Amino acid sequence: GEFSSQRKGEEKGMNGRQLEATASSPNKTEGKEKDKEGQTGEKEKEKKSSQGSSLLSRLSDLLVSFIIVVPALDVVSTYPLNVIIMAENLVGAILGQEGLESRWKAVAARLLCSVLPILGAAVVFSIDTLIGFIAPLFFFQVFILPGALFLETRAVVRDKLGEGAELRSPFFSVLCHMPIFIPLYALSCFLFVIVVLFHFDLLSL
């Protein structure tokens, strides 16, 4: 009797363990499926992040290319216009109206004005050297050239239209009167000399 009761107890224990195993097996399969889904989601996230990073890198490359190319295109597009204006101004200033009416002189001046910057760019490789020559020209345009152009224009207007004709111009201002203009222009010339001396290290504080 005791043996049979033990045997029944063992069978019940085995049945209970089998039931527990069968009950836990769906949970295990569900856990495995969740792990697979989690791994798949992580892989998809990694793919999306890699795609986003590659897109950002492409956009950054395009932006860098745009920043590099646009100034060059701007220079190329405005270069012919600058050459034409510079050539006509030089011919008009040196040869006068006869030089402007001559086609061959205009063509020669345009060729000269267009070739010289290209030759300079081909020979000089340091941007510091170019800036060293460009800076004094910039200072000249700021401090000296406007006043010189005003004096030349004033002389031409007086010669063509008579004494005091510049006073009737709509562009004439208080600063154009000679008692005011001359001291200001002298100060501008003095500042130009000081700036150029500092630029070439010929003067120091």
Side-chain angles (χ1 to χ4, degrees):
E2 292 178 357
F3 179 75
S4 61
S5 61
Q6 289 179 356
R7 185 66 179 271
K8 289 179 180 180
E10 290 177 356
E11 290 178 355
K12 288 181 179 180
M14 291 175 65
N15 292 329
R17 285 192 295 271
Q18 289 177 357
L19 290 173
E20 290 178 356
T22 54
S24 62
S25 60
N27 295 329
K28 290 181 179 179
T29 55
E30 290 178 358
K32 290 180 180 179
E33 290 178 356
K34 289 181 179 179
D35 292 337
K36 289 180 180 180
E37 291 177 356
Q39 292 177 358
T40 306
E42 289 179 357
K43 289 180 180 179
E44 290 179 356
K45 289 180 180 179
E46 290 178 356
K47 288 182 180 179
K48 289 180 180 179
S49 63
S50 63
Q51 290 176 356
S53 62
S54 63
L55 180 61
L56 289 175
S57 64
R58 289 177 183 176
L59 290 176
S60 64
D61 293 338
L62 289 175
L63 181 60
V64 171
S65 301
F66 178 80
I67 293 172
I68 294 173
V69 171
V70 166
L73 293 177
D74 182 63
V75 171
V76 171
S77 62
T78 58
Y79 187 72
L81 181 62
N82 293 330
V83 167
I84 292 172
I85 294 173
M86 182 177 180
E88 290 186 356
N89 290 337
L90 289 176
V91 170
I94 297 172
L95 302 177
Q97 188 65 30
E98 295 179 358
L100 293 175
E101 293 175 355
S102 175
R103 179 179 178 84
W104 297 108
K105 292 179 181 179
V107 171
R110 291 179 183 181
L111 287 175
L112 183 64
C113 292
S114 61
V115 170
L116 286 179
I118 297 175
L119 292 177
V123 173
V124 179
F125 296 97
S126 175
I127 192 68
D128 295 332
T129 305
L130 292 176
I131 293 174
F133 286 103
I134 292 172
L137 294 176
F138 172 76
F139 298 144
F140 177 79
Q141 292 178 354
V142 171
F143 293 109
I144 305 298
L145 190 59
L149 290 176
F150 168 72
L151 292 175
E152 180 65 22
T153 305
R154 179 174 177 271
V156 172
V157 169
R158 287 196 167 196
D159 184 47
K160 299 290 184 180
L161 303 177
E163 193 75 19
E166 73 276 5
L167 300 176
R168 298 190 297 270
S169 173
F171 304 103
F172 192 85
S173 67
V174 178
L175 298 176
C176 296
H177 290 284
M178 286 296 107
I180 299 175
F181 173 78
I182 293 300
L184 290 177
Y185 191 53
L187 178 62
S188 180
C189 295
F190 174 75
L191 291 176
F192 170 73
V193 173
I194 296 298
V195 169
V196 170
L197 291 177
F198 270 111
H199 178 73
F200 290 106
D201 295 329
L202 299 175
L203 184 66
S204 59
L205 296 177

